[in-house]
Amino acid sequence: MDLWYTEKHTDNAGITIKTTETLFSGKSKYQQLDIVDTLEFGRMMLLDGLVMVTERDEFIYHDMIVHPALFTHPNPKKVLVIGGGDGGSIREIMKHPEVELAVLCEIDGLVIEKSIEFLPSMAVEIDGNNPRVKLHVDDGLAYIRDHQKEFDIILVDSTDPIGPAVGLFEENFYRLVFTALKDDGIMIAQSESPFYHAKIQKNMYQSLRAVFPIVEMYQAFVPTYPSGFWSFAFASKAYHPITDFDRDRSAKRNFHTHYYNEDLHLGAFMLPTFARDNIAK
Ligand code: SAM
């Protein structure tokens, strides 16, 4: 049975994807969770009706939220992911042998449970069998308060600034992240679409610049996200993503990345003018 799933990106435009089967549909304490099968993108997770990940294009987002930071920091040993309950970010972090521990702090246990059940290619490292991975089911805003100077890298792999993720886009949270990072730590946060979300970006980067000495935006193409033009914030206490980047180390990596590479690491920070204007000081 062919059903068209439509996500509205604005009141007047969106994306529509042909689905063949609903694999799971349920409500947690926080949100509606649906996992459907689609003809174009494979299995797809929706939270409150918004596309989170698809099997076909998740490699782009997870490569780009993880590898720029882990190849800029010279020796990332301890990494925290806030959100990321599908497991894709943890999977990519585990490819870095120098990482001794990756902690996942996801507010909704149902997302982890159903990702393990229906999205095994993403959840491969969060099924409890990897001793280098620790899972917490908790609000990232609460979790971060109890940790000072503990992490080399913190990735905020959250939903959009609505519902439980609202606080993850505010200056108070960025100050807590700053404190939880070691003196040379790096924070990455998904920072929405430069095409549709100029206002969110302006506020977000203003807050980041009030806290971190180095703040840059970089881009990636994610076909199932609003406009397909997506972005990430690189907020750093010491290392700059371009001038402190060791291209050789990235080029010599001993694992395949389907989207990220040592040249794209640099190119992703080159922005179209309108995106640069969104976050101008
Ligand atoms: N790649 C997706 C994107 O860019 O929209 C994000 C995917 S991941 C599934 C987003 C996760 O953030 C969800 O599972 C959601 O439950 C989690 N989340 C939202 N607010 C949170 C919070 N305050 N603390 C921890 N996790 C949170």
Side-chain angles (χ1 to χ4, degrees):
M1 174 184 69
D2 291 343
L3 273 177
W4 286 88
Y5 160 75
T6 298
E7 176 184 335
K8 287 175 70 177
H9 294 157
T10 70
D11 290 343
N12 315 304
I15 186 171
T16 188
I17 300 172
K18 197 182 264 188
T19 66
T20 55
E21 190 187 354
T22 296
L23 300 167
F24 175 80
S25 182
K27 210 166 172 50
S28 74
K29 195 171 122 193
Y30 299 99
Q31 51 213 342
Q32 171 69 28
L33 168 61
D34 297 286
I35 298 180
V36 297
D37 215 343
T38 76
L39 292 169
E40 195 65 52
F41 291 99
R43 290 184 173 184
M44 173 166 78
M45 179 202 291
L46 310 162
L47 288 177
D48 287 340
L50 302 178
V51 176
M52 289 293 121
V53 286
T54 80
E55 285 180 320
R56 182 171 173 193
D57 73 354
E58 58 89 3
F59 73 95
I60 301 170
Y61 176 92
H62 292 122
D63 267 18
M64 292 308 280
I65 196 170
V66 169
H67 300 308
L70 273 78
F71 279 119
T72 300
H73 192 292
N75 189 18
K77 291 186 184 315
K78 202 168 172 187
V79 182
L80 169 64
V81 176
I82 293 177
D86 52 73
S89 296
I90 295 287
R91 180 196 64 207
E92 291 309 308
I93 292 165
M94 284 297 106
K95 292 178 181 173
H96 293 255
E98 70 276 19
V99 173
E100 292 165 3
L101 180 67
V103 178
L104 179 77
C105 178
E106 161 60 59
I107 199 168
D108 192 343
L110 188 64
V111 172
I112 296 173
E113 184 194 327
K114 296 305 169 190
S115 297
I116 292 168
E117 187 177 351
F118 294 107
L119 302 169
S121 64
M122 288 177 232
V124 59
E125 300 290 5
I126 61 169
D127 58 5
N129 298 323
N130 188 329
R132 290 164 65 209
V133 175
K134 222 159 113 191
L135 299 187
H136 280 277
V137 178
D138 195 359
D139 182 343
L141 258 173
Y143 178 86
I144 199 87
R145 287 180 205 286
D146 301 335
H147 298 269
Q148 280 80 35
K149 289 189 186 263
E150 197 174 318
F151 296 99
D152 297 297
I153 292 175
I154 296 177
L155 306 180
V156 185
D157 180 7
S158 73
T159 38
D160 303 324
I162 43 179
V166 170
L168 304 182
F169 288 77
E170 291 170 355
E171 186 174 322
N172 169 51
F173 170 67
Y174 296 143
R175 290 196 182 286
L176 292 168
V177 169
F178 189 94
T179 310
L181 285 167
K182 292 178 189 168
D183 290 342
D184 61 350
I186 298 172
M187 178 195 107
I188 304 292
Q190 71 91 353
S191 61
E192 304 288 315
S193 166
F195 186 76
Y196 279 134
H197 306 128
K199 203 158 167 302
I200 294 174
Q201 293 201 315
K202 183 173 170 44
N203 296 335
M204 181 178 177
Y205 281 78
Q206 235 164 21
S207 302
L208 285 166
R209 286 202 180 102
V211 179
F212 286 88
I214 299 168
V215 177
E216 300 291 344
M217 184 191 328
Y218 63 101
Q219 59 176 308
F221 143 76
V222 183
T224 54
Y225 284 2
S227 82
F229 182 26
W230 211 247
S231 73
F232 301 87
F234 188 108
S236 178
K237 296 172 87 165
Y239 306 117
H240 188 279
I242 295 177
T243 52
D244 294 311
F245 172 55
D246 178 351
R247 189 180 179 285
D248 267 0
R249 180 171 150 239
S250 172
K252 290 197 184 99
R253 64 190 177 283
N254 64 356
F255 55 88
H256 176 69
T257 44
H258 207 39
Y259 188 86
Y260 172 88
N261 63 56
E262 60 280 9
D263 296 321
L264 184 75
H265 177 111
L266 299 167
F269 287 88
M270 306 303 143
L271 300 171
T273 307
F274 79 90
R276 217 168 35 185
D277 291 349
N278 285 356
I279 60 169
K281 290 180 187 131

